[in-house]
């Protein structure tokens, strides 16, 4: 069987069939959200093709399934457990195949998280730039460490050691350059009430945008997985 029976959607078809404009509907503006949304579809599509080709090596057939974990519960800062699952049709499944399939699943999970993290980072940077354009003096008074701490409170990515994980200093510096102080500079401004009020208001507003972004990603993943499950089932019908 050949996977050329499954053609990827064009950009226009993705936009039409999978509600790619969800990010705009939610008014979540990032630096390149359109490109990132396309990457999500393309990544899932490539993942599906790789799964099918692996199954073909062992003469197995797959059934695509939208998997929503029983424990799935939308909660800010935690991953909503929605995934594209593959049921292998048949019995006595080869252990080597299971090993290779599991490795593929783990690699896909890591690469997907990188895209999602970049989307979240871009949203923070875009909105922080917008906000500090209004208050340029505040930006000049902030240290890198201070902005990283704000990003941690906005994104709420829990670290294994406890607390929240910030955006890296390298990423912050690459977007803001010389307009901010180094983290080694004395941070007397960081304890100033003006800064604290600014940070509190920004964090509250950004968390709302972050939640809308998360909802948009969940909906887009849902539509994408449904479409690909349909493609998988049609593929095996056509190649029967």
């Amino acid at each position: 069987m050949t996977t050329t029976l499954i053609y990827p959607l064009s950009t226009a078809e993705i936009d039409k069939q999978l509600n790619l404009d969800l990010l705009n509907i939610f008014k979540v503006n990032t630096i390149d959200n359109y490109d990132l949304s396309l990457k999500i579809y393309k990544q899932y599509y490539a993942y599906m093709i790789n799964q099918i080709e692996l199954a073909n090596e062992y003469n197995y057939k797959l059934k695509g399934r939208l998997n929503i974990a029983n424990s799935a519960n939308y909660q800010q800062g935690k991953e909503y457990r929605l995934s594209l699952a593959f049921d292998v049709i048949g019995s006595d499944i080869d252990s080597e195949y299971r090993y290779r399939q599991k490795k593929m699943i783990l690699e896909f999970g890591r690469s997907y998280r990188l895209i999602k993290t970049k989307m979240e980072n871009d949203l923070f940077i875009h909105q922080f730039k917008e906000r500090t354009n209004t208050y340029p003096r505040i930006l000049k008074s902030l240290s890198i460490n201070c902005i990283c701490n704000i990003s941690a409170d906005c994104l709420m990515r829990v670290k294994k050691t406890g607390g929240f994980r910030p955006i890296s200093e390298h990423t912050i510096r690459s977007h803001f350059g010389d307009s901010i102080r180094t983290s080694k500079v004395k941070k007397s401004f960081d304890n100033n009430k003006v800064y604290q009020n600014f940070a509190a208001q920004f964090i509250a507003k950004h968390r709302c945008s972050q939640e809308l972004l998360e909802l948009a990603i969940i909906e887009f993943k849902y539509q994408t997985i449904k479409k690909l499950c349909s493609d998988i089932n049609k593929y095996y019908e056509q190649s029967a």
Side-chain angles (χ1 to χ4, degrees):
M1 293 186 289
T2 172
T3 50
T4 55
L5 290 171
I6 306 179
Y7 297 99
L9 296 176
S10 67
T11 300
E13 289 172 326
I14 293 171
D15 197 5
K16 181 179 179 181
Q17 295 190 34
L18 302 177
N19 295 324
L20 189 62
D21 60 346
L22 273 171
L23 294 173
N24 293 324
I25 289 172
F26 283 122
K27 299 188 185 302
V28 177
N29 298 315
T30 62
I31 295 169
D32 52 2
N33 59 20
Y34 190 84
D35 178 58
L36 285 167
S37 299
L38 287 175
K39 283 180 181 176
I40 289 177
Y41 170 78
K42 290 176 180 177
Q43 190 178 43
Y44 267 97
Y45 173 82
Y47 174 57
M48 174 188 71
I49 294 298
N50 290 338
Q51 284 278 3
I52 292 175
E53 289 180 345
L54 175 63
N56 287 348
E57 286 186 39
Y58 294 83
N59 293 318
Y60 296 148
K61 291 185 178 181
L62 302 175
K63 181 178 181 181
R65 175 167 52 84
L66 170 66
N67 184 41
I68 302 177
N70 292 332
S71 59
N73 181 27
Y74 176 71
Q75 186 175 351
Q76 192 174 27
K78 292 189 177 181
E79 185 73 31
Y80 185 86
R81 298 176 64 189
L82 173 73
S83 62
L84 172 59
F86 299 93
D87 295 328
V88 184
I89 300 173
S91 57
D92 299 324
I93 307 302
D94 190 279
S95 59
E96 181 188 55
Y97 167 78
R98 286 295 192 194
Y99 169 78
R100 292 176 65 186
Q101 186 190 42
K102 184 176 180 179
K103 185 178 179 182
M104 190 179 292
I105 292 170
L106 293 174
E107 288 174 352
F108 171 77
R110 282 193 292 268
S111 59
Y112 170 75
R113 282 193 294 274
L114 287 175
I115 287 182
K116 186 172 180 289
T117 295
K118 186 176 186 304
M119 186 179 286
E120 293 170 346
N121 289 354
D122 285 350
L123 175 64
F124 173 85
I125 289 164
H126 176 86
Q127 293 198 337
F128 199 81
K129 279 185 174 181
E130 277 192 336
R131 189 64 173 166
T132 52
N133 281 342
T134 308
Y135 303 102
R137 180 58 189 164
I138 287 182
L139 179 60
K140 290 182 181 296
S141 302
L142 298 178
S143 66
I144 291 177
N145 185 63
C146 179
I147 298 176
C148 288
N149 288 340
I150 293 175
S151 74
D153 287 336
C154 284
L155 300 173
M156 296 191 297
R157 297 169 183 158
V158 180
K159 296 189 294 186
K160 291 181 179 179
T161 55
F164 297 135
R165 177 166 50 87
I167 295 176
S168 70
E169 288 191 7
H170 173 76
T171 299
I172 295 297
R173 189 182 294 282
S174 68
H175 285 282
F176 292 96
D178 296 331
S179 61
I180 52 179
R181 300 178 297 152
T182 65
S183 57
K184 294 180 181 179
V185 175
K186 185 179 179 182
K187 300 181 288 298
S188 58
F189 184 73
D190 297 0
N191 296 319
N192 187 289
K193 281 190 175 182
V194 173
Y195 158 71
Q196 291 175 349
N197 288 336
F198 164 82
Q201 290 176 16
F202 179 82
I203 290 167
K205 182 177 180 180
H206 183 82
R207 283 182 178 176
C208 291
S209 297
Q210 181 72 20
E211 196 163 336
L212 292 175
L213 174 63
E214 185 68 27
L215 289 171
I217 292 173
I218 289 170
E219 183 61 28
F220 186 72
K221 278 179 61 178
Y222 177 78
Q223 298 290 348
T224 299
I225 293 171
K226 275 180 56 181
K227 176 66 174 66
L228 293 179
C229 285
S230 174
D231 289 344
I232 294 170
N233 296 334
K234 287 180 181 177
Y235 164 75
Y236 284 108
E237 289 174 4
Q238 293 172 10
S239 56

